[in-house]
Amino acid sequence: MRFALTLTLALSPAPLLAQDCSFVTECYEDQACQDTDFSLTADLTSERLITGFGDLTIVAAKQAGALTTLFATGDGAEYLLSRNGDAARFTAHSNVGPAAITYLGTCKGEF
């Protein structure tokens, strides 16, 4: 895993080691989306997504042009953070159910 993160950082010009993301819309399964106030910090140095419900472990990172994708794991779910420009999507895929939650928002800074 460290290889993937190191490779991503090495290929990025002047990378930052963290970025803050804010999400204003939450969509649960096939229910109507609703307003939310959810945020996280993507910290590549500690290989963590830091959230209000606990830290998630980043297991892989991928960059293709302007699109950056982080894959993370945590207690009972798998997570995906995608960012292209200012637009960001964060999804949680529960191992119980299955069930998925999608968050729509923005991230500041670049990796």
Side-chain angles (χ1 to χ4, degrees), residues 19 21 23 49 62 66-71 79-91 103 105-107:
Q19 101 180 203
C21 302
F23 301 94
L49 293 181
K62 179 180 174 182
L67 177 65
T68 300
T69 306
L70 300 178
F71 303 87
Y79 302 87
L80 176 71
L81 173 64
S82 298
R83 180 187 178 203
N84 190 348
D86 288 338
R89 302 293 183 263
F90 178 70
T91 57
Y103 294 91
T106 61
C107 292

Side-chain angles (χ1 to χ4, degrees), residues 9-55:
L9 289 174
L11 296 177
S12 302
L16 295 176
L17 299 178
Q19 101 180 203
D20 295 316
C21 302
S22 298
F23 301 94
V24 296
T25 304
E26 175 185 77
C27 307
Y28 180 78
E29 288 289 319
D30 63 351
Q31 298 175 13
C33 296
Q34 58 188 0
D35 293 341
T36 191
D37 183 17
F38 173 67
S39 62
L40 65 81
T41 298
D43 185 344
L44 290 184
T45 301
S46 68
E47 298 177 4
R48 299 270 183 229
L49 293 181
I50 302 162
T51 74
F53 61 85
D55 292 356

Side-chain angles (χ1 to χ4, degrees), residues 1 4-5 8 44 57-62 69-72:
M1 175 189 57
L5 292 176
T8 298
L44 290 184
T57 302
I58 296 173
V59 295
K62 179 180 174 182
T69 306
L70 300 178
F71 303 87

Side-chain angles (χ1 to χ4, degrees), residues 91-103:
T91 57
H93 301 264
S94 175
N95 296 335
V96 176
I101 304 170
T102 300
Y103 294 91

